[in-house]
């Protein structure tokens, strides 16, 4: 196996792991946040507007983790510095 195919296969494997782990953890976190928010709204319906606002802020913060994982995946696949090293360009 030459260096180009080795770097390519390792980059694809790393990108896949990054998306898999970076997508599963926020999904589990969002499910927990949504379940707890619904439970809190069922117990205190008069506070549902405050709970909903806090829910959306928490969901956005949790989802940013998945977006960061996606950005890292794109960097691994398309802007990998090892490709330039193998190609011989600075």
């Amino acid at each position: 196996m030459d260096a180009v195919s080795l770097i390519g296969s390792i980059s694809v494997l790393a990108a896949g792991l990054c998306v898999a782990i970076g997508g599963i953890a926020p999904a589990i976190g969002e499910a927990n946040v949504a379940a707890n928010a619904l439970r809190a709204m069922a117990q205190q319906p008069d506070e549902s507007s405050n709970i909903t606002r806090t829910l959306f802020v928490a969901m956005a913060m949790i989802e940013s983790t998945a977006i960061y994982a996606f950005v890292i995946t794109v960097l691994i696949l398309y802007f990998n510095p090892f490709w330039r090293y193998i190609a011989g360009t600075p």
Side-chain angles (χ1 to χ4, degrees):
M1 182 178 280
D2 61 334
V4 173
S5 60
L6 181 65
I7 289 174
S9 61
I10 290 174
S11 295
V12 169
L13 179 66
L17 286 173
C18 184
V19 165
I21 295 170
I24 290 172
I28 292 170
E30 286 179 5
N32 287 336
V33 168
N36 289 331
L38 289 174
R39 188 175 302 121
M41 282 187 227
Q43 291 175 352
Q44 297 180 350
D46 53 335
E47 292 292 324
S48 65
S49 64
N50 291 333
I51 295 170
T52 303
R53 184 178 23 214
T54 306
L55 169 71
F56 287 136
V57 170
M59 289 284 200
M61 293 180 76
I62 293 170
E63 189 64 32
S64 69
T65 307
I67 293 169
Y68 292 146
F70 176 71
V71 168
I72 291 171
T73 300
V74 169
L75 290 174
I76 289 172
L77 289 177
Y78 296 108
F79 301 107
N80 195 339
F82 293 116
W83 291 113
R84 282 181 259 147
Y85 177 75
I86 292 298
T89 58

